[in-house]
């Protein structure tokens, strides 16, 4: 009854062709054999690219083939390469002229296959398995580079041990710029501005945009190292041809993974978190550890809140460019806060959050509030805020001390949200 065209059937066929038993194959690939068995029975809806990469290596087959079977790739309708399309994505709806200009710029810039990064718009979440896998690769790299516990992370050392070189800025030679400007005018500069960084896997060169401020420069630098570090990134980009690209949602996931690798390289796994968990979270503390590790306050705040053992949540509202008006907030919760309040899943009290963001924007002092958790228990939540030219931040932190519960209103088990 097995459909030969399913991913599971094909993987099973591949394994049998190699003469490997299930356990044997799983061991070589370094994955759980129960999981492999589920995979072969098509019981895994969407096996993650890192798993497919390990299996491809174990069976000595092209990773790209398995990615194709798993339906992660698509033909590029514009005939641009995966990486060119990726750079285009952030333009919104480019006109035909813009498309042409960007393609020409990228063609001129790339000697080989490159990742063109644009970091800002990638704000989604990664699952725990991805995060754990990324951390493992990052810590191994830092160890190899002798950079573990050297704060701030010596990126040059890490670059060197990765056998990458900083080749220079994202730029074109004056002659090429002139030639392209004759054809495309200002669009050439616009296209160049969109590319924050790039890593070329064949020549091992990293390019970083000129004029990025120090902390952003470090982040983009670490992001490019991240693409090279994660085997399912490196192998994919090294073998994609110009007619194929990652499906947009998979591409976004890859970018988030590179961002996660970047923050892990800069925070050194658990190091920054441990430092921040020494005392009750506040923006003073976040600023202090952020400058110690040389990471922007925004990236530090998000990382700390996602990793901390304290119960807290973070709301960030970016200011609209031009208007300065606050945009709808992004919300992050620590694990224990999420268990208690489910803000990140579905129960965030939007009016309350907006109200405190606006108060923070006005510069008002934020008084503690009381909140009922999902079981109806009342908790005292302390607030702290920070305003920067780019954004307004509000931190919600439950008192760390175990106070007796004030009230027990109801005792209802809320259904867990399934993902
Ligand atoms: Zn990238």
């Amino acid at each position: 009854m097995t459909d030969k065209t399913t991913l599971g059937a094909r993987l099973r066929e591949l394994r049998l062709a190699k003469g490997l038993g299930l356990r044997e194959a799983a061991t070589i690939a370094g994955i759980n054999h129960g999981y492999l068995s589920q995979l072969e029975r098509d019981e895994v809806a969407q096996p993650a690219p890192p798993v497919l990469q390990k299996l491809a290596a174990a069976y000595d087959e092209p990773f790209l083939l398995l990615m194709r079977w798993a339906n992660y790739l698509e033909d590029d309708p514009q005939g641009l390469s995966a990486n060119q399309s990726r750079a285009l994505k952030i333009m919104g709806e480019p006109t035909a002229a813009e498309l042409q200009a960007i393609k020409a710029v990228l063609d001129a810039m790339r000697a080989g296959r490159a990742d063109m990064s644009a970091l800002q718009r990638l704000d989604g979440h990664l699952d725990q398995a991805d995060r754990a896998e990324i951390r493992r690769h990052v810590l191994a790299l830092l160890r190899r580079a002798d950079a573990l516990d050297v704060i701030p992370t010596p990126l040059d050392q890490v670059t060197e041990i990765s056998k990458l070189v900083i080749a220079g800025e994202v730029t074109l030679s004056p002659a090429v710029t002139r030639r392209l400007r004759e054809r495309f005018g200002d669009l050439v500069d616009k296209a160049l501005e969109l590319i924050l960084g790039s890593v070329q896997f064949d020549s091992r060169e990293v390019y970083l945009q000129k004029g990025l401020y120090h902390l952003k420069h470090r982040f983009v630098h670490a992001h490019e190292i991240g693409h090279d570090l994660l085997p399912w990134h490196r192998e994919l980009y090294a073998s994609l041809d110009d007619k194929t690209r990652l499906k947009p949602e998979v591409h976004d996931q890859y970018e988030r993974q590179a961002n996660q690798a970047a923050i892990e390289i800069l925070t050194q796994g658990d190091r920054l978190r441990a430092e921040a968990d020494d005392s009750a979270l506040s923006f003073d503390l976040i600023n202090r550890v952020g400058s110690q590790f040389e990471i922007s306050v925004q990236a530090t705040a998000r990382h700390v809140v996602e990793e901390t053992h304290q119960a807290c949540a973070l709301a960030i509202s970016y200011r609209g460019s031009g208007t300065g008006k606050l945009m709808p907030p992004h919300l992050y919760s620590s694990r224990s806060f999420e268990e208690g309040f489910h803000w990140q899943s579905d129960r965030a009290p939007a009016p309350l959050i907006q109200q405190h963001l606006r108060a923070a924007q006005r510069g008002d002092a934020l008084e503690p509030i009381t909140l009922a958790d999902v079981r109806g228990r009342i908790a005292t939540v302390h607030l702290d805020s920070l305003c920067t030219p780019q954004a307004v931040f509000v931190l919600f932190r439950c008192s760390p001390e175990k106070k007796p519960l004030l009230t027990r209103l109801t005792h209802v088990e809320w259904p867990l949200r399934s993902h």
Side-chain angles (χ1 to χ4, degrees):
M1 281 295 287
T2 327
D3 179 356
K4 287 288 181 213
T5 62
T6 67
L7 174 66
R10 286 166 152 162
L11 288 177
R12 188 178 137 80
E13 212 167 79
L14 209 52
R15 173 173 64 73
L16 295 175
K18 304 286 164 184
L20 295 170
L22 200 65
R23 277 172 192 273
E24 205 182 349
T27 306
I28 297 171
I31 63 176
N32 179 289
H33 74 268
Y35 185 80
L36 179 56
S37 164
Q38 283 182 307
L39 242 179
E40 291 190 359
R41 293 196 307 268
D42 288 306
E43 289 170 11
V44 181
Q46 239 199 340
V51 173
L52 295 177
Q53 190 272 330
K54 288 176 185 174
L55 279 172
Y59 298 157
D60 198 21
E61 289 290 333
F63 173 42
L64 215 57
L65 179 68
L66 274 62
M67 287 291 278
R68 203 177 288 284
W69 287 352
N71 207 22
Y72 280 125
L73 304 177
E74 65 182 14
D75 291 336
D76 194 322
Q78 273 141 357
L80 301 177
S81 77
N83 305 304
Q84 291 174 332
S85 314
R86 140 194 317 220
L88 294 179
K89 263 201 75 178
I90 54 167
M91 294 268 304
E93 291 292 323
T95 63
E98 285 171 335
L99 273 175
Q100 267 191 315
I102 294 166
K103 178 161 170 45
V105 166
L106 295 177
D107 279 342
M109 221 186 80
R110 310 162 61 221
R113 309 208 176 281
D115 157 65
M116 308 294 178
S117 298
L119 306 166
Q120 296 96 328
R121 308 263 174 107
L122 299 152
D123 211 50
H125 297 274
L126 286 178
D127 66 33
Q128 286 305 318
D130 277 352
R131 299 172 87 98
E133 178 87 11
I134 291 167
R135 176 166 292 186
R136 212 168 49 73
H137 283 286
V138 166
L139 291 179
L141 171 66
L142 293 174
R143 222 167 273 129
R144 276 203 307 281
D146 241 337
L148 211 52
D149 293 314
V150 183
I151 311 292
T153 305
L155 285 184
D156 289 340
Q157 220 165 299
V158 177
T159 307
E160 198 183 326
I161 209 78
S162 307
K163 298 197 166 62
L164 292 168
V165 288
I166 298 293
E169 295 159 346
V170 172
T171 182
L172 299 168
S173 74
V176 173
T177 311
R178 214 165 27 245
R179 182 168 58 75
L180 288 174
R181 280 217 188 101
E182 276 165 21
R183 276 178 65 197
F184 300 109
D186 293 352
L187 290 177
V188 175
D189 305 275
K190 192 170 166 189
L192 276 173
E193 269 171 35
L194 290 174
I195 304 165
L196 295 179
S198 110
V199 53
Q200 312 222 355
F201 294 98
D202 49 0
S203 59
R204 315 291 305 151
E205 291 172 319
V206 174
Y207 293 86
L208 299 168
Q209 194 190 88
K210 154 169 77 178
L212 290 178
Y213 78 105
H214 180 62
L215 301 183
K216 184 141 187 187
H217 192 274
R218 275 175 66 79
F219 195 93
V220 176
H221 185 170
H223 173 102
E224 303 306 339
I225 294 173
H227 276 303
D228 181 66
L229 170 67
L230 304 175
W232 65 98
H233 286 223
R234 188 178 54 232
E235 278 198 37
L236 182 95
Y237 293 128
S239 52
L240 271 183
D241 61 50
D242 279 3
K243 297 283 177 283
T244 316
R245 66 176 180 191
L246 280 172
K247 289 190 168 173
E249 65 277 13
V250 189
H251 154 250
D252 285 354
Q253 195 191 4
Y254 265 57
E255 285 302 283
R256 283 198 291 274
Q257 289 168 347
N259 280 351
Q260 183 66 19
I263 194 75
E264 289 280 320
I265 288 170
L266 297 171
T267 59
Q268 306 211 354
D270 210 25
R271 304 303 193 273
L272 183 144
R273 199 277 314 155
E275 191 90 22
D277 265 352
D278 270 355
S279 17
L281 273 188
S282 67
F283 283 110
D284 277 350
L285 181 65
I286 288 169
N287 266 320
R288 185 171 60 69
V289 291
S291 51
Q292 188 188 344
F293 284 72
E294 296 193 1
I295 308 172
S296 74
V297 66
Q298 174 195 327
T300 307
R302 178 176 168 182
H303 174 81
V304 166
V305 167
E306 286 183 331
E307 297 281 331
T308 181
H309 299 167
Q310 303 180 36
C312 62
L314 173 71
I316 306 179
S317 253
Y318 293 96
R319 300 178 198 268
S321 52
T323 64
K325 256 184 81 178
L326 294 188
M327 313 283 280
H330 296 268
L331 201 60
Y332 305 97
S333 295
S334 72
R335 186 185 288 232
S336 55
F337 191 92
E338 189 57 17
E339 278 165 13
F341 299 95
H342 294 194
W343 274 19
Q344 205 145 351
S345 354
D346 53 359
R347 296 172 61 91
L352 175 114
I353 293 166
Q354 301 271 16
Q355 170 201 331
H356 286 100
L357 282 164
R358 281 195 299 270
Q361 185 187 26
R362 289 192 302 268
D364 297 354
L366 303 180
E367 298 299 325
I369 55 174
T370 53
L371 279 181
D373 73 8
V374 291
R375 295 179 172 210
R377 294 176 302 200
I378 303 296
T380 302
V381 177
H382 299 271
L383 276 64
D384 192 16
S385 67
L386 176 74
C387 295
T388 69
Q390 295 80 33
V392 176
F393 302 71
V394 174
L395 181 72
F396 301 82
R397 177 180 55 81
C398 292
S399 318
E401 61 274 58
K402 290 259 184 291
K403 275 186 188 157
L405 299 172
L406 298 175
T407 328
R408 190 175 286 262
L409 296 176
T410 51
H411 193 97
V412 181
E413 294 289 346
W414 295 92
L416 280 178
R417 205 184 141 162
S418 54
H419 288 273

